[in-house]
């Protein structure tokens, strides 16, 4: 089955008599534009997003008919959970994570990173509280700097203004 677009969110669909089948994805697969996988029920699907689109998120509906709804479910993974005590600490932690080119997620006032032992040792040695737990990485922090924008409005400058 070829799926080419995100239709809507699962909470906006009236399920009725239809069966909901989930396409289980790892956090790093949510940004891919071409994927071939099986749903929980064993239906083979091919995702092919030809147009630029946002990353897939938990609950995205990819297919629906009278009997079936196929939605995205993101698998939980081992993560580092860091709770900064201040905006200055948040900026310093984000700097260390960004310096290692690791993906960063922000959920429930916590910074989350896929489990990385060297980063955990570094942050712990610097005095930060770092916990390891299994959770879903759902809210990536997009820090990509877009070219030809006002540099005074960059994420880095906003953080620096908050810490002054």
């Amino acid at each position: 089955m070829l799926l080419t677009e995100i239709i809507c969110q699962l909470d906006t669909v009236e399920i009725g008599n239809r069966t909901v089948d989930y396409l289980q994805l790892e956090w790093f697969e949510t940004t891919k534009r071409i994927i071939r996988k099986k749903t929980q029920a064993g239906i083979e699907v091919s995702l092919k997003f030809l147009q630029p689109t946002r990353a897939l998120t938990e609950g995205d509906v990819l297919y629906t008919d009278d009997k079936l709804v196929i939605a995205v479910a993101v698998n939980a993974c081992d993560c580092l959970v860091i709770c900064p005590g201040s905006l200055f600490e948040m900026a310093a932690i984000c700097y260390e994570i960004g310096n290692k080119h690791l993906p960063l997620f922000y959920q429930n006032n916590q910074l989350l990173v896929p489990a990385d032992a060297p980063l955990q040792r570094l942050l712990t040695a610097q005095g930060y509280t770092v916990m390891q737990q299994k959770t879903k990485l759902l809210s990536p922090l997009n820090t990509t700097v877009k070219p030809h924008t006002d540099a005074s409005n960059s994420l880095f400058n906003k953080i620096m203004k908050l810490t002054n």
Side-chain angles (χ1 to χ4, degrees):
M1 175 181 305
L2 179 63
L3 308 175
T4 59
E5 66 181 349
I6 300 167
I7 298 171
C8 61
Q9 274 287 307
L10 189 59
D11 58 2
T12 64
V13 174
E14 189 173 320
I15 304 299
N17 296 346
R18 297 186 275 193
T19 303
V20 178
D21 189 8
Y22 289 98
L23 179 65
Q24 297 286 141
L25 298 176
E26 300 297 328
W27 67 269
F28 54 85
E29 293 176 312
T30 61
T31 58
K32 295 191 181 267
R33 294 179 54 204
I34 298 174
I35 302 173
R36 181 178 218 114
K37 287 191 90 152
K38 288 187 179 182
T39 65
Q40 282 183 329
I43 300 170
E44 189 167 324
V45 296
S46 295
L47 300 183
K48 192 179 239 182
F49 298 129
L50 299 177
Q51 302 299 321
T53 185
R54 65 172 173 76
L56 293 168
T57 58
E58 181 91 6
D60 280 345
V61 174
L62 304 173
Y63 176 81
T64 183
D65 65 15
D66 332 353
K67 298 177 185 176
L68 178 68
V69 175
I70 296 178
V72 171
V74 178
N75 294 331
C77 67
D78 290 327
C79 301
L80 300 181
V81 180
I82 308 130
C83 299
S86 67
L87 287 173
F88 181 77
E89 282 186 10
M90 180 172 298
I93 293 166
C94 288
Y95 175 81
E96 292 296 344
I97 294 168
N99 207 25
K100 296 194 174 308
H101 300 275
L102 296 172
L104 179 61
F105 295 78
Y106 183 74
Q107 296 165 201
N108 303 323
N109 295 322
Q110 299 173 326
L111 295 171
L112 297 123
V113 181
D116 182 75
L119 178 66
Q120 184 174 10
R121 286 192 299 271
L122 173 72
L123 293 177
T124 303
Q126 291 179 350
Y128 300 111
T129 303
V130 181
M131 299 171 288
Q132 191 163 358
Q133 70 184 42
K134 197 167 191 87
T135 189
K136 292 183 177 193
L137 296 175
L138 301 175
S139 304
L141 186 60
N142 186 3
T143 57
T144 304
V145 178
K146 297 176 182 164
H148 307 295
T149 60
D150 181 14
S152 65
N153 200 24
S154 71
L155 177 62
F156 177 75
N157 283 332
K158 287 178 184 177
I159 291 171
M160 292 309 293
K161 286 177 188 174
L162 290 173
T163 60
N164 286 337

